[in-house]
Amino acid sequence: MEHAQPDRPANPPAAPRRPWVVGVSGASGTPYAAAVLRALLDAGESVDLVVSRAARLTLLDETGISFRDAHWREDLGAWLARGADGKPETFPVPPLDDVRHWAAGDLGAGPSSGSYPAQGMLVVPASTASAAGIALGLSKDLLQRTASVTLKERRPLVVALRETPLSRPTLQHLLALDEAGAVVLPASPAFYAGATHLQDAVDFVAGRVLDAVGVEHGLYRRWRGELGEARAVREG
């Protein structure tokens, strides 16, 4: 006796989108965020973007770009095209089809829930205020709320702090973040990679952020155990 075969869909369902959430706080260092975003998109990763209110002021001050919710795609393209030295149209704008922007005040946004299928979160640059808010679980805006969700769901969280010197309260907040499972990654450029331009120093920090979550990139030359190699790169 023949058994009827169940109907099967003509095409298998597409894999669910699993973005990296990039949170940009009000700390100085918007070129760090731009370098991370470019590298994620170049690697074929999906990105959800949260730009805090304070970050918009910093972005305006450092680049002259007004980041507007209603025109975020246009403004993001101008931001990603700008080099660390402030020159526009330094980089080609990567495709932004797989970028989703969430307003910082939207506490009902997708990434505010642990059921939202994010891979993890990168806060770059991170201000001391955002680090404190995340460490204390304040969730005063979407950036902090998403970071809290990332921690409770045991997903990767990188906090790229951009501040110096550090006060005792900030050090205590950073220790609390480390104990909660976050990677505390100060925005500290190194020079063994043979940096010759400001962009090289920025790319090194961005590359270390991506190293922390296992995203492949070509942002800097890795140490190979050969003394004098950086000097040879600079001189020749």
Side-chain angles (χ1 to χ4, degrees):
M1 179 178 179
E2 294 184 359
H3 297 279
Q5 296 295 319
D7 292 335
R8 296 182 178 180
N11 298 307
R17 181 178 180 273
R18 296 189 66 233
W20 289 102
V21 181
V22 177
V24 186
S25 82
S28 175
T30 54
Y32 291 126
V36 166
L37 288 165
R38 283 192 299 265
L40 284 171
L41 296 174
D42 287 346
E45 300 286 348
S46 302
V47 172
D48 278 20
L49 179 63
V50 180
V51 182
S52 75
R53 290 187 175 91
R56 297 172 193 230
L57 295 176
T58 305
L59 183 63
L60 179 62
D61 181 57
E62 294 184 346
T63 69
I65 296 171
S66 297
F67 194 89
R68 303 160 293 175
D69 288 335
H71 303 279
W72 69 267
R73 194 176 296 272
E74 173 187 347
D75 298 335
L76 177 60
W79 181 13
L80 297 187
R82 191 171 295 263
D85 58 2
K87 293 181 180 178
E89 300 181 359
T90 298
F91 295 98
V93 180
L96 303 178
D97 298 337
D98 208 7
V99 179
R100 186 166 187 179
H101 165 257
W102 300 94
D106 185 3
L107 293 178
S112 69
S113 171
S115 65
Y116 188 77
Q119 292 195 65
M121 184 176 187
L122 315 173
V123 183
V124 54
S127 64
T128 55
S130 64
I134 298 167
L136 297 173
L138 297 182
S139 296
K140 74 178 184 68
D141 62 8
L142 182 60
L143 189 154
Q144 292 184 14
R145 171 59 186 168
T146 303
S148 295
V149 166
T150 302
L151 287 176
K152 80 180 182 68
E153 296 296 325
R154 302 297 191 266
R155 295 169 183 161
L157 172 65
V158 179
V159 178
L161 191 77
R162 215 307 305 158
E163 185 59 271
T164 191
L166 301 178
S167 67
R168 181 181 180 88
T170 295
L171 291 170
Q172 291 172 328
H173 293 146
L174 298 180
L175 180 59
L177 287 172
D178 178 79
E179 292 173 342
V183 174
V184 177
L185 195 153
S188 301
F191 298 93
Y192 62 78
T196 57
H197 301 286
L198 179 59
Q199 189 67 53
D200 297 329
V202 168
D203 285 347
F204 178 86
V205 172
R208 295 299 287 153
V209 170
L210 297 178
D211 287 345
V213 293
V215 174
E216 293 187 5
H217 64 85
L219 289 172
Y220 69 89
R221 186 186 62 81
R222 297 183 181 278
W223 174 249
R224 298 187 297 184
E226 299 178 16
L227 294 177
E229 193 171 15
R231 186 175 65 256
V233 170
R234 286 193 294 268
E235 293 176 353

